[in-house]
Amino acid sequence: MGDELVNRDEPLVLGIETSCDETGVGIVRGTTLLADAIASSVDEHARFGGVVPEVASRAHLQAMVPTIERACTTAGVSLRDVDAIAVTHGPGLAGALLVGVASAKALALGLGKPIYGVNHLAAHVAVDQLEHGPLPEPCIALLVSGGHSSLLRVTDVTGAASGVAPMGATIDDAAGEAFDKVARLLGLPFPGGPHIDRVARDGGQVVIDFPRGLTSRRDLERHRFDFSFSGLKTAVARWVEARELSGEAVPVADVAASFQEAVCDVLVRKAIDAAASEGIEDLMIGGGVAANSRLRAMAEERASAKGIRVRVPRPGLCTDNGAMVAALGAEMVARGRTPSSLDLPADSSLPVTDVLAG
């Protein structure tokens, strides 16, 4: 990247992400991405059909130093050049978070730099600035990942003055969990999201009318912006089981396409409803499931019909990464937020409203 594209007066921030099975280290200067190094342990979890916390924690320990070194080499900076350290301190897997938080504390203490313990979910919102420029505020953020399906009203991504307010959340299975479980039913590899997307795109047809959770009139009265994909997962399992008991072949591509359509329909329907209800014209979609091609296409199509602008980062910035943590950390520095203390905890159940650790 040419020096003319980088404003060297902007903060240089290193971000560390270890909430699940990716060891991510990102380096940004302001809103310019300099490095996004990732070491994934997903292959080690595949045979279990899901992430094993202890395996993830040990993988983070092994990958942390090499990933930091790779990020610095890519960015062409040394650790001494960094102005601040940002780290995901929640939510996520407790042991995995501890590795990242301890590493960030060691760097901050050794380098004499401020540390910012940030919220994983808010970081998924902030990362879009690295691709599309300053985040429109207010905006509605639809976050869809393995453990979370959330709708947020964002007026300040750093969390000042209740700047990240929840409108809706997951009641049971999140979208990403449903993708993994349905993929397992269909004999597709873990993680399920990319494989269901690929199979559906390469030949699937939406021919099965699977249920749309929490969209009936009664549900919308109590859970207008909440999500539930447990019933959908069960419906798919029963449909597949009935085919198998009758001796018929299971049309994997059609089941995948029909399931995916049901998930995306609910996510997009509720996100657009949330934006319309608040009179907000900008919708940001983030999290691992935001890489899904059908979700992106459906959101663009339906939102444009309502006069709502959609921003979705490129797929590589949707999944967990250190760049998103660095992006939020840089925004904290730019807006003069007070750094976290060195005794900041790893909080596996951190609420989305707590964007910055004290």
Side-chain angles (χ1 to χ4, degrees):
M1 180 175 296
D3 289 347
E4 69 277 3
L5 299 178
V6 179
N7 182 351
R8 296 191 176 278
D9 292 330
E10 292 181 310
L12 182 69
V13 178
L14 181 146
I16 295 175
E17 156 62 27
T18 62
S19 66
C20 193
D21 60 336
E22 272 96 17
T23 306
V25 178
I27 299 176
V28 306
R29 187 180 290 279
T31 59
T32 302
L33 177 61
L34 303 182
D36 183 22
I38 295 176
S40 177
S41 61
V42 65
D43 291 342
E44 300 175 49
H45 305 284
R47 64 192 178 100
F48 301 104
V51 176
V52 181
E54 180 65 17
V55 172
S57 300
R58 291 179 181 274
H60 288 310
L61 282 170
Q62 295 173 345
M64 183 58 66
V65 171
T67 308
I68 291 173
E69 291 175 343
R70 183 153 46 94
C72 288
T73 299
T74 301
V77 302
S78 73
L79 287 174
R80 293 188 301 273
D81 299 326
V82 171
D83 295 311
I85 308 294
V87 61
T88 295
H89 84 111
L93 302 175
L97 289 168
L98 280 169
V99 177
V101 169
S103 300
K105 288 179 178 180
L107 286 174
L109 186 61
L111 297 169
K113 306 293 183 179
I115 187 172
Y116 294 84
V118 302
N119 191 296
H120 175 85
L121 300 180
H124 271 305
V125 179
V127 73
D128 189 64
Q129 298 191 149
L130 301 181
E131 190 163 12
H132 298 124
L135 193 73
E137 293 174 337
C139 72
I140 296 295
L142 170 65
L143 298 185
V144 276
S145 64
H148 303 276
S149 298
S150 307
L151 277 169
L152 310 173
R153 188 181 192 277
V154 181
T155 55
D156 185 328
V157 74
T158 68
S162 302
V164 179
M167 295 183 67
T170 307
I171 291 179
D172 41 50
D173 278 6
E177 292 172 310
F179 269 98
D180 288 339
K181 292 174 180 178
V182 169
R184 193 181 314 159
L185 282 170
L186 298 177
L188 298 174
F190 173 85
H195 297 286
I196 286 181
D197 191 7
R198 171 182 53 81
V199 168
R201 188 173 58 244
D202 291 348
Q205 296 183 336
V206 181
V207 293
I208 308 163
D209 187 20
F210 286 128
R212 272 63 168 163
L214 297 185
T215 57
S216 70
R217 179 177 297 179
R218 178 177 295 180
D219 286 330
L220 290 175
E221 290 175 355
R222 296 176 296 172
H223 300 289
R224 183 177 177 183
F225 301 125
D226 294 323
F227 300 98
S228 171
F229 296 103
S230 178
L232 171 59
K233 173 203 66 181
T234 301
V236 174
R238 288 176 177 168
W239 195 95
V240 170
E241 181 182 15
R243 291 285 294 222
E244 291 174 337
L245 288 175
S246 66
E248 299 177 76
V250 175
V252 172
D254 290 346
V255 174
S258 300
F259 160 77
Q260 179 175 265
E261 191 75 7
V263 172
C264 295
D265 181 22
V266 173
L267 291 172
V268 172
R269 188 188 307 186
K270 294 205 171 200
I272 291 176
D273 185 25
S277 73
E278 295 291 312
I280 292 176
E281 297 180 345
D282 291 280
L283 170 64
M284 186 269 159
I285 306 177
V289 180
N292 181 273
S293 63
R294 181 60 183 141
L295 177 61
R296 298 165 84 94
M298 185 186 291
E300 288 282 358
E301 178 184 347
R302 294 188 184 177
S304 63
K306 298 287 187 179
I308 296 171
R309 295 176 291 269
V310 175
R311 291 170 44 137
V312 192
R314 64 180 183 270
L317 292 179
C318 290
T319 52
D320 293 347
N321 59 80
M324 69 187 202
V325 180
L328 183 52
E331 196 64 26
M332 296 289 183
V333 176
R335 299 194 189 192
R337 298 297 306 275
T338 302
S340 306
S341 64
L342 273 174
D343 63 353
L344 71 99
D347 188 344
S348 61
S349 57
L350 184 72
V352 68
T353 50
D354 293 346
V355 179
L356 174 63

